[in-house]
Amino acid sequence: MRLLVTGAAGFIGSNYVCGLLSGALTAPPDIRVTVLDKLTYAGNLANLDPVTGDPRLTFVEGDIADDDLLARLVPGHDAIVNFAAESHVDRSIAGSQDFVHANVVGTHALLQAALDARVERFVQVSTDEVYGSIAEGSWSEDSPVRPNSPYAATKAAADMLACAFARTHGLNVSITRCGNNYGPRQYPEKLIPLFITHLLEGRPVPLYGDGGNIRHWIHVEDHCRAVQLVLHKGEPGAVYNVGGGRELTNMSIAGQLIEACGSPADSIRHVPDRPGHDYRYSLDGGKLRDLGFTPRIGFEEGLAATVRWYRENRSWWEPLKDIATKVAENRP
Ligand code: NAD
């Protein structure tokens, strides 16, 4: 099986490709993987170090919105998993042009290239943020899409395009919508690695508003298992929520990380809330559970392992930390 994985120099995609080639994820024995990644600020070739040199892996630097490149690269692949995206909400509030380019134009180009090359299978990796915010209850896959941030709006647009390619052209594409991921190799601008690296540097963590916002957290390896299941068992045109994670307030995460890092109890600095900040995300994961998915990594265990990874891999995050901190400090 020849699989094209986009955005795999980033956080989730690199965990997915390393899982595929190390055998941690169930994959066909003849698996070969092409990674296509633009190497934006969030892309880091070092993320693929565990599998560099594997003869089954080919890396191509390039943009998923580059039609000419896709016309050369996509034919011959059996399936595509699209992780490539601009992924940070705060950056999308500061300016959303790159988000429209990567998430909308790029996904459209990839869908069209898959259709032209008669690629048999496509998984579009999306997010629970497309649903907006929910005060009570949980979203099913039939819940309306009501994105609030520019990031979520571009991901929702990509989902709509994927559904349209399934219905109009019969492309065999499924969509996954997952909650917040955490784990090793996540860029230190995102909440959990931002907080861990601040605490390891002896600094207080910047917490939006009163810290009451609730997110649905899942370990990246569980998300990768869900994507792999949908790749092989998902229905054409279907959406799958990746549920089964843990719902926690940002304040609770901050408290757990302060304890795990052995930092002083007053290591929280409240900062003005993010504009349009979604209050709560909550996913009903029943549909994917019926397909056989249950997360394996408990939150406390996963968080402890993640703190350990950042403690032991300072050389990975220290060069990224200045830019990530500037983004965090200048959050609108
Ligand atoms: P990331 O920002 O860590 O990585 C994104 C990768 O995509 C980078 O390697 C970057 O270089 C690459 N990229 C960006 N634009 C590109 C383009 N135009 N062409 C080719 N490559 C490009 O993101 P992540 O956290 O690993 O997220 C991966 C996917 O999962 C995204 O689609 C995101 O929307 C989705 N998702 C993320 C989360 C989360 O909590 N991180 C949750 C649910 C869904």
Side-chain angles (χ1 to χ4, degrees):
M1 180 189 202
R2 280 193 71 194
L3 183 61
L4 176 62
V5 186
T6 68
F11 166 49
I12 306 174
S14 65
N15 276 283
Y16 177 73
V17 167
C18 292
L20 278 180
L21 296 180
S22 69
L25 289 173
T26 310
D30 61 345
I31 186 84
R32 280 180 294 155
V33 177
T34 308
V35 168
L36 172 61
D37 197 295
K38 192 177 172 183
L39 296 181
T40 67
Y41 77 96
N44 183 348
L45 267 183
N47 289 345
L48 290 167
D49 274 355
V51 290
T52 303
D54 189 313
R56 298 168 297 169
L57 176 68
T58 306
F59 179 82
V60 177
E61 182 175 345
D63 189 334
I64 58 164
D66 181 341
D67 298 310
D68 293 338
L69 171 63
L70 294 183
R72 293 194 303 277
L73 187 67
V74 172
H77 287 91
D78 303 300
I80 298 176
V81 180
N82 183 25
F83 289 100
E86 287 293 334
S87 67
H88 190 43
V89 173
D90 288 334
R91 286 179 185 258
S92 82
I93 296 170
S96 40
Q97 203 168 8
D98 290 348
F99 289 73
V100 174
H101 174 83
N103 303 1
V104 186
V105 179
T107 301
H108 176 263
L110 208 54
L111 290 164
Q112 185 63 50
L115 190 66
D116 293 345
R118 296 192 174 79
V119 173
E120 289 161 27
R121 189 76 183 110
F122 193 121
V123 176
Q124 171 63 13
V125 179
S126 187
T127 163
D128 60 356
E129 302 195 27
V130 299
Y131 293 118
S133 183
I134 188 165
E136 284 174 11
S138 300
W139 293 299
S140 78
E141 289 80 357
D142 295 327
S143 298
V145 166
R146 289 188 181 128
N148 291 320
S149 72
Y151 161 67
T154 58
K155 293 297 289 184
D159 287 12
M160 298 299 106
L161 283 167
C163 289
F165 270 69
R167 287 193 206 112
T168 307
H169 300 299
L171 188 72
N172 185 357
V173 50
S174 305
I175 296 163
T176 59
R177 291 184 180 149
C178 190
N180 282 30
N181 283 217
Y182 68 97
R185 303 196 285 275
Q186 186 169 31
Y187 196 83
E189 66 190 357
K190 301 281 170 62
L191 188 132
I192 286 185
L194 177 77
F195 283 11
I196 295 173
T197 53
H198 263 51
L199 292 168
L200 293 180
E201 287 179 329
R203 291 199 263 173
V205 300
L207 188 67
Y208 274 141
D210 63 2
N213 301 66
I214 297 166
R215 297 291 178 266
H216 187 118
W217 291 96
I218 190 163
H219 193 275
V220 64
E221 288 173 19
D222 281 323
H223 183 193
C224 292
R225 269 192 280 277
V227 168
Q228 191 62 357
L229 184 65
V230 171
L231 176 67
H232 290 290
K233 290 199 179 160
E235 295 284 331
V239 174
Y240 295 90
N241 289 343
V242 183
R246 177 78 70 81
E247 276 184 38
L248 289 163
T249 63
N250 291 345
M251 175 64 93
S252 158
I253 302 254
Q256 292 188 46
L257 289 175
I258 286 169
E259 203 178 318
C261 293
S263 305
D266 62 353
S267 299
I268 291 179
R269 184 168 60 85
H270 288 275
V271 297
D273 209 354
R274 169 193 274 170
H277 201 179
D278 290 332
Y279 168 64
R280 174 172 175 260
Y281 301 147
S282 178
L283 286 169
D284 177 344
K287 188 170 169 185
L288 196 57
R289 197 169 52 241
D290 290 347
L291 220 57
F293 175 71
T294 36
R296 292 185 192 160
I297 302 178
F299 185 76
E300 283 73 19
E301 173 202 349
L303 198 69
T306 303
V307 170
R308 209 161 41 244
W309 189 87
Y310 281 89
R311 260 192 212 288
E312 290 169 0
N313 290 276
R314 291 187 83 111
S315 62
W316 181 91
W317 57 264
E318 277 175 346
L320 311 174
K321 186 66 181 156
D322 275 355
I323 297 174
T325 302
K326 269 191 201 115
V327 173
E329 299 300 332
N330 295 320
R331 294 193 293 196

